[in-house]
Amino acid sequence: MPRIAQFRPPGKFLLPNLRKFTYNAGKMSIQEALPPFLIFLGPSIAELGLRDPVPGGVDGFLAHVAHSAPRVQNLRIEGDEISDADSAALETSLLRLEKLETLRSSSTRLTPATWNAIAQHPCLTYAAFEAQGWGYAAPSVGIQPGAFEKLERLAIRASFDFLCSLLETQHELSALTHVVLEGGPMGQGRSEFHRLCKLLVQKLPILSLVRLVCHSNAVRADKALELGDFRPFLRCKNLRYFHLSHPCGVSVTASEIGELLDAWPGIKMLSLEYAPYCVDSVGSIHSIKWTPPTLPLNVLDTIARKRPKIRQLSLVLDATAPIKNTSTSLEPQFECLDELKVSLSSVGHPADVASFLARRSKTPFALKFEMPSNISGNLRQRLQDDKKKWDQIQEHLQLLCDQKERLEEEFRLRLQVERTRHMQELREVMASTQ
């Protein structure tokens, strides 16, 4: 690649109209990786991606961006190694990138200095820090209250204690509507998680999207989340999307589902499920802890009755009980359901469940069952058996939906023919009276 430089016109950029540029540094030394990077860097670039920089080398790249590509609006830094030097480089470069609107980084930490820089940034609306391992608990010393007038969306992977420290120092974050947080408690118990939920509700008054992915340091001794653990969110009347997952699942009753729906009149997506895996604070991956579900299949009637316009659902259901497949005109129906995810749900009679689901929606929807990859032994065999049954339900549901569409189309055509015939008869009657 360095040979490209000899074809570069003197005093001009190699690609003067380039808007999107992603550079794979391949963990080369900064001396090797920087020259090719600079060849393509120009003032027309609006989206910039940097992949696999050598640890400690981010500063070498970002130092040139503000000068050579001052119009960068979207910046993504991707890497599987985290460097304190790179975190410091981002802190110093952030305010120099005055046009920056979105930032995603998986190779730098969200330090107090970076947080303070985000608070002062004139254009940044989205920031995501996806560094591997949530056991990071930076000292909260140095975190300052900030205006955050532009920041609308925030995604962080860190310990609950650190996330609480960030929020406790702030006044209301009046523009922030979307939060995606992944982490876990540094200690035992649920106090840190409950504290985090309370702070999110207190500091983010117009919250509309919440995605919380919880992990655990002791999943074998842990238990499922319950409504009491995240009850503060019932005060968020603007919620449209709510996702909560835990390695032990989320255990709620049908009446508690009704309580959630009553609290969130505009909810469009509700997801209460198992985390796909469990990561402890040092980065080791563990299997989830599954227990037979207790939320009955007919909870869908409650949801369809209270929130018929909901678009996405992800619940762990017990569909083993016998179903009365007697159709009535009073059955509640979803009006625009796009997806029902039933991962790790139990099922008894596939044909009956398919018939039940087909009658609960006015439109076809996707039915999904996903298996975590790190489950083994007897549990894996049991869940695989359930997955086969849900696959059968999906196939049967598709046939029922197709049949329903054909019948509805035949009915529409029949009505049209009858309407045409009646109009013709009316014209003939009127003509005969003249």
Side-chain angles (χ1 to χ4, degrees), residues 99-130:
K99 303 293 184 181
L100 194 65
E101 295 179 4
T102 68
L103 168 67
R104 299 188 68 170
S105 175
S106 60
S107 63
T108 61
R109 302 287 195 189
L110 176 54
T111 63
T114 305
W115 180 258
N116 295 337
I118 292 173
Q120 302 172 47
H121 202 283
C123 296
L124 197 66
T125 61
Y126 173 56
F129 291 84
E130 304 160 339

Side-chain angles (χ1 to χ4, degrees), residues 134 156-158 160 179-185 190 193 196-197 210-217 219 222-227 229-230 233 241-252 260 264 269-279 288-289 314-316 341 343-344 370 372:
W134 58 263
I156 308 175
R157 182 180 291 134
F160 290 160
V179 291
V180 177
L181 306 178
E182 180 175 353
R190 296 287 165 79
F193 176 73
L196 176 61
C197 294
V210 174
R211 181 179 175 86
L212 292 176
V213 179
C214 305
H215 294 294
S216 174
N217 273 325
V219 67
D222 213 337
K223 64 176 183 177
L225 290 174
E226 298 175 347
L227 178 59
D229 296 316
F230 59 98
F233 285 115
Y241 306 90
F242 185 78
H243 171 98
L244 178 61
S245 62
H246 187 276
C248 300
V250 183
S251 178
V252 290
L260 293 175
W264 303 330
M269 188 276 279
L270 176 62
S271 175
L272 305 173
E273 60 183 37
Y274 284 88
Y277 53 84
C278 177
V279 181
I288 65 170
K289 180 182 177 182
S314 181
L315 300 169
V316 184
K341 188 176 176 184
S343 298
L344 307 187
E370 297 177 357

Side-chain angles (χ1 to χ4, degrees), residues 407-423:
L407 291 174
E408 289 177 347
E409 181 62 22
E410 290 174 3
F411 183 68
R412 281 194 294 269
L413 291 174
R414 193 178 302 116
L415 281 178
Q416 186 176 350
V417 169
E418 288 295 315
R419 189 180 295 112
T420 302
R421 185 174 63 83
H422 289 152
M423 291 298 296

Side-chain angles (χ1 to χ4, degrees), residues 225-228 230-231 234 242 244 250-265 267 269-273 294-307 310 312-317 334:
L225 290 174
E226 298 175 347
L227 178 59
F230 59 98
R231 183 174 288 279
L234 295 182
F242 185 78
L244 178 61
V250 183
S251 178
V252 290
T253 65
S255 63
E256 288 172 338
I257 290 288
E259 194 175 348
L260 293 175
L261 299 174
D262 290 339
W264 303 330
I267 194 74
M269 188 276 279
L270 176 62
S271 175
L272 305 173
E273 60 183 37
T294 57
L295 190 63
L297 179 66
N298 62 15
V299 72
L300 297 178
D301 286 343
T302 300
I303 301 173
R305 188 176 296 110
K306 288 178 175 288
R307 298 291 173 252
I310 200 165
Q312 289 181 288
L313 283 169
S314 181
L315 300 169
V316 184
L317 301 170
F334 295 105

Side-chain angles (χ1 to χ4, degrees), residues 421-434:
R421 185 174 63 83
H422 289 152
M423 291 298 296
Q424 180 63 29
E425 291 176 350
L426 180 62
R427 283 194 292 266
E428 291 174 356
V429 170
M430 293 179 65
S432 66
T433 58
Q434 291 179 352

Side-chain angles (χ1 to χ4, degrees), residues 355-373:
S355 179
F356 175 88
L357 294 176
R359 300 197 312 273
R360 292 307 182 275
S361 180
K362 294 181 178 180
T363 58
F365 60 90
L367 182 67
K368 295 183 178 181
F369 184 107
E370 297 177 357
M371 277 279 292
S373 59

